[in-house]
Each structure stands twice: as structure tokens, then as C-alpha cells.
Amino acid sequence: MNEYQITFLVDDANASAHVASPLHRIAKKFKSSLHILNITQDRCAKLTRSMAMLQAGLIKGDICQITAMGIDAELACFVIKDIIAEHFTLVGSQINYEFSSQLAQQLPQICPPSEIHWHYAKARTELTKFECLKGLAQLIYPDNPDELILAFIKREERSSTCVTPGIALPHVMFADVEHVSVAVIVNEKAIDWASKMGDVHIAIALVIPAKPNREQIISATNLTRNLLSGQIAERLLFTRSSVDLQALLMYSMSRLIV
């Protein structure tokens, strides 16, 4: 059964007091399981509980999700979204393109310290590990992807880049790029990554210049460290919207969450 999400940012911690009662009341009208997840603080509460918003502990700057799973999950999110939009900043509203610069322009508060070039594709067929790496290289460096493919392969030969169950993070330094590039391939069908952690459903390629500046190093380090702890990795795997997925990655590169 699919999970549906509403992803939002907290601009005012006091907003929790305004939405607590309406969310509690509406949540009880649906059969689906509804939760609020404070991804930043690694906290979760069931929306049918009267103290849910207090338990979630929302603080200014947090990134959160309302999640719904059940027979009326999509409808529940549709109804709840209006309440959230009144008091918080919804991610993805008025964004027309997947993994574009639009999101950075609309939500500067979650921008990483360095400029990031974003790329995204959703696989429609089964992929081998090599095919996935090839696809990532073509997204980032389409004019001459062979050298980048080779760099990815050499990195994998040292050790598997599957960093957490379900997610691989092939990462290299590459002389032919000036900016940090992030490419994401999502596949509902499992990719055998030859890892003890199991198969992969999201491959996130991280390519940084051969001589990165301080801001580029911070952006890359934030992402790698955040994937190893807290809720970020799990939320990346469950999040359906590509815009929300980009927002989670941007947020992960902008700061250390835990």
C-alpha cells in the first residue's frame, strides 16, 4: 500500500498551536494511518492523538512531513494540505519542473552553501548496477560520459557505495566539473548493488570538482553524514514526489541535521 506525503517547512514554531486542534479533528475522520514526522528532530507522532503537534516538537527551520497510508490516504492528504498551507511553507507548490533551479529560487532557506546542479530520472525498467551508473554519468556529463562512468566504476571497485539499505551514493571528484552535481535515479524495481546491505531503489550520484572550495566540501559532507543517521534515508525512500525528494536532498546538503 502506497504512502502519501505532504512536505513542509516550519517558519514559525507557534503555528503548531493553530493547527493542532484542526489536524486532530480531521485525522479522526479518515480510516488511513496519519502521522506527523519532524525529520529534522527525528520525532514522530500519530495525528489522531491530541498532543501530536506537541510531541513532534516543531522548531523554526525544521523540515516535516504529514504521512498517510490506507484506503483514503490520498484524500486525507488533499484535505490536510489546505490546513498546512495556511500556517507553514509547503514544498513543491507552483513548481513545474523536476529537479530544477525553481526550488532553490522559491525556498532559499534550504539552499546548500554551494551551487548545485540537479539531475533526475525515474527508471521504467529493471537496471543493472552498471546501467544505473551509466545513466547517472549521462545525466551529469552528457557530452562525454565515458570518463565519468569509469570514475564511478573505479570507486565501486574499492568498496560498494550502498551507504544505507535501499540507497547508493556513488561519489567521485571529477576534473571536468566546476560545480557540485547531484543526479538521482529512482527505480521501483530493485537494483543489485553487490552490497551486504541489499538492493538499491535510489541511486544518488555526487560529483564534486577535483579542487573543491570550502562551501562545496561542506555541501557534500552534510549530505553523506545526514544519510547515515536520523530519518532522512527512510524519507527519501518513501517520498513519492520528485520535488519533495529534491527538497529533502537540498535540506540535507544545507546543514547537519543530527
Side-chain angles (χ1 to χ4, degrees):
M1 190 172 291
N2 288 330
E3 178 189 283
Y4 290 82
Q5 304 92 16
I6 303 167
T7 306
F8 62 95
L9 295 164
V10 180
D11 294 319
D12 179 7
N14 294 324
S16 295
H18 298 288
V19 301
S21 180
L23 285 178
H24 171 62
R25 185 172 61 253
I26 288 177
K28 292 194 294 184
K29 295 181 181 293
F30 292 97
K31 296 180 180 179
S32 295
S33 177
L34 297 165
H35 291 81
I36 178 165
L37 306 179
N38 186 335
I39 299 169
T40 306
Q41 306 298 330
D42 196 14
R43 303 180 75 169
C44 174
K46 199 168 184 178
L47 275 184
T48 51
R49 295 177 179 172
S50 59
M51 303 294 286
M53 296 305 293
L54 183 62
Q55 291 173 341
L58 273 56
I59 299 173
K60 183 178 180 179
D62 287 350
I63 190 166
C64 305
Q65 285 186 333
I66 300 289
T67 65
M69 184 176 290
I71 59 173
D72 53 4
E74 188 172 9
L75 177 61
C77 283
F78 180 79
V79 173
I80 291 172
K81 183 177 287 187
D82 287 339
I83 298 173
I84 296 297
E86 283 186 35
H87 301 281
F88 301 101
T89 300
L90 276 180
V91 168
S93 58
Q94 300 179 341
I95 299 293
N96 300 318
Y97 301 100
E98 296 177 330
F99 276 67
S100 71
S101 60
Q102 276 189 316
L103 196 58
Q105 294 166 4
Q106 184 169 313
L107 300 174
Q109 64 267 46
I110 65 170
C111 285
S114 66
E115 181 180 348
I116 310 294
H117 290 187
W118 297 96
H119 311 273
Y120 172 83
K122 185 169 184 177
R124 304 295 179 182
T125 60
E126 289 186 15
L127 295 177
T128 64
K129 180 178 179 179
F130 174 76
E131 288 170 337
C132 185
L133 292 172
K134 181 179 179 181
L136 292 167
Q138 289 173 332
L139 286 170
I140 293 172
Y141 201 58
D143 293 337
N144 186 17
D146 291 349
E147 288 188 22
L148 186 52
I149 294 170
L150 183 60
F152 283 147
I153 292 172
K154 287 182 176 179
R155 175 60 188 84
E156 293 293 333
E157 287 175 347
R158 293 203 300 271
S159 62
S160 172
T161 57
C162 183
V163 293
T164 190
I167 298 178
L169 183 69
H171 50 286
V172 296
M173 288 183 168
F174 194 60
D176 291 340
V177 298
E178 295 181 358
H179 302 284
V180 175
S181 291
V182 174
V184 178
I185 290 181
V186 175
N187 197 345
E188 292 181 2
K189 298 180 179 179
I191 304 170
D192 182 359
W193 213 261
S195 169
K196 293 180 180 179
M197 291 190 182
D199 295 334
V200 163
H201 287 277
I202 300 178
I204 306 167
L206 175 64
V207 178
I208 63 176
K211 295 181 179 179
N213 59 39
R214 182 176 181 273
E215 288 74 20
Q216 291 170 335
I217 292 172
I218 291 172
S219 297
T221 302
N222 285 346
L223 175 61
T224 55
R225 290 182 63 180
N226 285 329
L227 282 175
L228 297 175
S229 59
Q231 295 187 34
I232 280 291
E234 180 183 84
R235 297 324 306 160
L236 289 173
L237 287 167
F238 278 97
T239 296
R240 296 165 58 88
S241 162
S242 61
V243 176
D244 289 0
L245 192 66
Q246 182 186 359
L248 289 173
L249 288 169
M250 286 175 59
Y251 191 88
S252 298
M253 298 182 81
S254 69
R255 70 205 73 191
L256 282 177
I257 297 175
V258 291

